[in-house]
Amino acid sequence: TAQAKQTERVDLDELNKALETTQPDPARRQQILVDYTAVRQALTAHAQSMVTWKESLWSGDAQAAEPAPAPALTVPEGLPGEFADYLRGAIAYRQQQPELARQAWQALLQRPAEQRRLRSTWAAYMLGRSYANENPTEAIRWYQKTRELAKEGFNDSLGLASASLGWEAQAEFKQGRYAPALELFRVQLDAGEPAAPISLLLAARNAIKANPEARAACAQNPTARRLMTGYLLAASLLKDDHDTVLTWLESFKAV
């Protein structure tokens, strides 16, 4: 995918610049880059195969076979510590070994701040992604950590602080927590995220059909309240749906 290719380009460019300060031997520096590029390209190829597989499932091809885990790959010697930690985690993640991946990324984040300026946001973000299906609450914690690190001045060349908003919103949405999901999608909208309008629409549509507790939480949240009221006003202009409007108004009794 374009995203995987962009990640690869940024990664190689930043490693090259980092090696200029840590590896004085040009020949050795070039060899490290060559070895690293080979591993990176293998990871990109696996990421692309996963996207193709998921697209096949979405298009209705239930027989599409899931790609095998990434092949055995070795972290090249001579890398700056944070690059070695991050790559070790990325390899484990692509080999479907999430616990090993998390250990590597957490080791990176335990380094002194000056030794992890370039890959801290990457590690926190991927920790969040690694928990997305298994533990949404833990995923949310790491998405928030990604934004904290970016605010503290750690490198965020991939815009992961912004991307974490969408993933956190989806985690809240999947748990039926529509009020925080709507808040986060609204932040994405303000940031110009193209998918935010559709995400807001889906969240509002599901929230209005949710259980009374979830609707009451939206009614108590200023942002969610405005968004859902606006959604219902727009929807009521398109069709006569008094019952839905009354259901929403009932939610205000808990406010």
Side-chain angles (χ1 to χ4, degrees), residues 192-226:
E193 170 58 45
I198 297 299
S199 298
L200 279 168
L201 176 63
L202 291 174
R205 182 179 295 167
N206 280 269
I208 201 61
K209 299 176 182 178
N211 59 57
E213 292 78 12
R215 290 199 308 272
C218 290
Q220 294 169 14
N221 181 294
T223 299
R225 183 167 64 241
R226 289 195 301 272

Side-chain angles (χ1 to χ4, degrees), residues 10-155:
V10 171
D11 196 19
L12 292 171
D13 181 60
E14 291 182 350
L15 173 60
N16 186 34
K17 292 176 181 177
L19 286 172
E20 288 176 357
T21 62
T22 62
Q23 177 51 256
D25 182 351
R28 179 66 184 132
R29 187 164 64 238
Q30 184 60 33
Q31 186 59 55
I32 293 171
L33 281 170
V34 168
D35 294 342
Y36 189 89
T37 299
V39 176
R40 245 299 165 203
Q41 288 178 342
L43 294 176
T44 299
H46 185 267
Q48 290 174 324
S49 69
M50 290 296 292
V51 169
T52 300
W53 171 63
K54 290 177 181 178
E55 288 176 345
S56 297
L57 294 180
W58 293 335
S59 65
D61 183 5
Q63 303 302 316
E66 181 177 357
L73 298 166
T74 303
V75 176
E77 294 184 3
L79 291 173
E82 61 180 321
F83 283 87
D85 287 343
Y86 183 79
L87 185 62
R88 189 173 297 109
I91 292 171
Y93 183 75
R94 288 293 166 192
Q95 291 176 337
Q96 299 178 7
Q97 301 180 72
E99 280 303 322
L100 288 178
R102 291 166 190 156
Q103 290 172 18
W105 292 325
Q106 288 172 337
L108 189 162
L109 292 170
Q110 290 167 4
R111 290 179 176 274
E114 65 273 12
Q115 295 179 17
R116 54 180 176 86
R117 305 304 303 183
L118 297 174
R119 288 294 171 269
S120 286
T121 59
W122 293 41
Y125 177 81
M126 286 306 300
L127 280 163
R129 296 294 299 121
S130 77
Y131 282 111
N133 296 321
E134 176 186 328
N135 187 338
T137 300
E138 188 68 5
I140 288 170
R141 185 172 78 86
W142 285 110
Y143 293 142
Q144 293 173 347
K145 182 65 174 177
T146 303
R147 298 196 292 277
E148 290 173 11
L149 289 165
K151 286 181 180 178
E152 292 169 10
F154 289 89
N155 178 280

